[in-house]
Short mmCIF file of all heavy atoms in Angstrom, two decimals:
data_model
loop_
_atom_site.label_atom_id
_atom_site.label_comp_id
_atom_site.label_asym_id
_atom_site.label_seq_id
_atom_site.Cartn_x
_atom_site.Cartn_y
_atom_site.Cartn_z
N GLY R 50 -4.59 9.37 -4.03
CA GLY R 50 -3.69 9.95 -3.04
C GLY R 50 -4.38 11.07 -2.28
O GLY R 50 -5.18 11.80 -2.85
N ARG R 51 -4.09 11.14 -0.99
CA ARG R 51 -4.67 12.21 -0.16
C ARG R 51 -3.62 12.75 0.80
O ARG R 51 -2.84 12.00 1.37
CB ARG R 51 -5.80 11.66 0.70
CG ARG R 51 -7.05 11.35 -0.04
CD ARG R 51 -8.19 11.10 0.95
NE ARG R 51 -9.37 10.77 0.21
CZ ARG R 51 -9.63 9.59 -0.29
NH1 ARG R 51 -8.81 8.59 -0.10
NH2 ARG R 51 -10.73 9.38 -0.97
N SER R 52 -3.66 14.05 1.00
CA SER R 52 -2.87 14.64 2.07
C SER R 52 -3.63 14.41 3.38
O SER R 52 -4.85 14.17 3.38
CB SER R 52 -2.64 16.12 1.82
OG SER R 52 -3.87 16.80 1.72
N ARG R 53 -2.92 14.49 4.48
CA ARG R 53 -3.51 14.16 5.79
C ARG R 53 -4.76 15.00 6.09
O ARG R 53 -5.72 14.48 6.67
CB ARG R 53 -2.47 14.33 6.88
CG ARG R 53 -2.95 13.84 8.23
CD ARG R 53 -1.85 13.87 9.26
NE ARG R 53 -2.33 13.35 10.52
CZ ARG R 53 -1.63 12.56 11.31
NH1 ARG R 53 -0.41 12.22 10.99
NH2 ARG R 53 -2.14 12.14 12.44
N ASP R 54 -4.78 16.24 5.69
CA ASP R 54 -5.95 17.08 5.99
C ASP R 54 -7.18 16.68 5.18
O ASP R 54 -8.27 17.17 5.45
CB ASP R 54 -5.61 18.56 5.78
CG ASP R 54 -5.23 18.89 4.35
OD1 ASP R 54 -4.63 18.04 3.66
OD2 ASP R 54 -5.52 20.02 3.92
N LYS R 55 -7.03 15.74 4.24
CA LYS R 55 -8.16 15.28 3.43
C LYS R 55 -8.50 13.81 3.70
O LYS R 55 -9.27 13.21 2.96
CB LYS R 55 -7.83 15.46 1.95
CG LYS R 55 -7.49 16.88 1.56
CD LYS R 55 -8.45 17.41 0.55
CE LYS R 55 -8.12 18.73 -0.05
NZ LYS R 55 -7.85 19.84 0.70
N PHE R 56 -7.93 13.23 4.77
CA PHE R 56 -8.22 11.83 5.09
C PHE R 56 -9.71 11.64 5.31
O PHE R 56 -10.38 12.47 5.92
CB PHE R 56 -7.47 11.39 6.35
CG PHE R 56 -6.01 11.07 6.14
CD1 PHE R 56 -5.39 11.20 4.90
CD2 PHE R 56 -5.25 10.62 7.20
CE1 PHE R 56 -4.05 10.89 4.73
CE2 PHE R 56 -3.90 10.31 7.04
CZ PHE R 56 -3.31 10.45 5.80
N GLU R 57 -10.22 10.52 4.83
CA GLU R 57 -11.61 10.15 5.02
C GLU R 57 -11.73 9.29 6.28
O GLU R 57 -10.73 8.95 6.91
CB GLU R 57 -12.11 9.39 3.79
CG GLU R 57 -12.16 10.26 2.55
CD GLU R 57 -12.81 9.57 1.37
OE1 GLU R 57 -13.10 8.36 1.43
OE2 GLU R 57 -13.02 10.26 0.36
N SER R 58 -12.95 8.91 6.63
CA SER R 58 -13.17 8.19 7.88
C SER R 58 -12.38 6.88 7.93
O SER R 58 -11.83 6.53 8.97
CB SER R 58 -14.65 7.94 8.12
OG SER R 58 -15.20 7.13 7.11
N ASP R 60 -9.56 6.24 6.49
CA ASP R 60 -8.15 6.59 6.70
C ASP R 60 -7.90 6.83 8.18
O ASP R 60 -6.89 6.39 8.73
CB ASP R 60 -7.78 7.86 5.92
CG ASP R 60 -8.00 7.75 4.43
OD1 ASP R 60 -7.61 6.72 3.84
OD2 ASP R 60 -8.55 8.70 3.84
N LEU R 61 -8.82 7.54 8.82
CA LEU R 61 -8.68 7.85 10.24
C LEU R 61 -8.77 6.58 11.10
O LEU R 61 -8.08 6.46 12.11
CB LEU R 61 -9.71 8.88 10.66
CG LEU R 61 -9.57 10.25 9.96
CD1 LEU R 61 -10.74 11.16 10.32
CD2 LEU R 61 -8.24 10.89 10.27
N LEU R 64 -5.42 5.04 10.77
CA LEU R 64 -4.46 5.88 11.49
C LEU R 64 -4.55 5.61 13.00
O LEU R 64 -3.53 5.55 13.69
CB LEU R 64 -4.73 7.36 11.18
CG LEU R 64 -3.64 8.35 11.54
CD1 LEU R 64 -2.34 8.04 10.81
CD2 LEU R 64 -4.09 9.76 11.21
N ILE R 76 3.16 11.38 9.53
CA ILE R 76 2.43 10.89 8.36
C ILE R 76 1.76 12.07 7.70
O ILE R 76 0.99 12.80 8.31
CB ILE R 76 1.40 9.81 8.77
CG1 ILE R 76 2.14 8.55 9.19
CG2 ILE R 76 0.43 9.53 7.62
CD1 ILE R 76 1.25 7.44 9.71
N SER R 77 2.09 12.26 6.43
CA SER R 77 1.60 13.44 5.72
C SER R 77 0.63 13.11 4.60
O SER R 77 -0.08 13.99 4.11
CB SER R 77 2.78 14.22 5.14
OG SER R 77 3.51 13.40 4.24
N ARG R 78 0.58 11.84 4.19
CA ARG R 78 -0.27 11.48 3.04
C ARG R 78 -0.53 9.98 3.05
O ARG R 78 0.12 9.22 3.76
CB ARG R 78 0.42 11.86 1.73
CG ARG R 78 1.74 11.15 1.53
CD ARG R 78 2.51 11.63 0.31
NE ARG R 78 3.82 11.05 0.25
CZ ARG R 78 4.91 11.53 0.81
NH1 ARG R 78 4.86 12.65 1.50
NH2 ARG R 78 6.06 10.92 0.70
N ASN R 79 -1.48 9.57 2.22
CA ASN R 79 -1.67 8.15 1.98
C ASN R 79 -2.05 7.91 0.53
O ASN R 79 -2.49 8.83 -0.17
CB ASN R 79 -2.66 7.52 2.96
CG ASN R 79 -4.11 7.80 2.63
OD1 ASN R 79 -4.44 8.46 1.68
ND2 ASN R 79 -4.99 7.28 3.45
N PHE R 173 0.32 4.56 4.16
CA PHE R 173 0.50 5.82 4.86
C PHE R 173 2.00 6.14 4.82
O PHE R 173 2.82 5.27 5.11
CB PHE R 173 0.02 5.71 6.32
CG PHE R 173 -1.46 5.60 6.43
CD1 PHE R 173 -2.10 4.38 6.28
CD2 PHE R 173 -2.24 6.72 6.72
CE1 PHE R 173 -3.48 4.27 6.38
CE2 PHE R 173 -3.60 6.62 6.82
CZ PHE R 173 -4.23 5.40 6.66
#
Side-chain angles (χ1 to χ4, degrees):
R51 287 192 181 80
S52 58
R53 188 174 182 139
D54 62 328
K55 303 241 188 307
F56 281 2
E57 294 187 352
S58 63
D60 301 314
L61 297 174
L64 196 60
I76 290 176
S77 59
R78 61 186 173 272
N79 78 0
F173 290 82

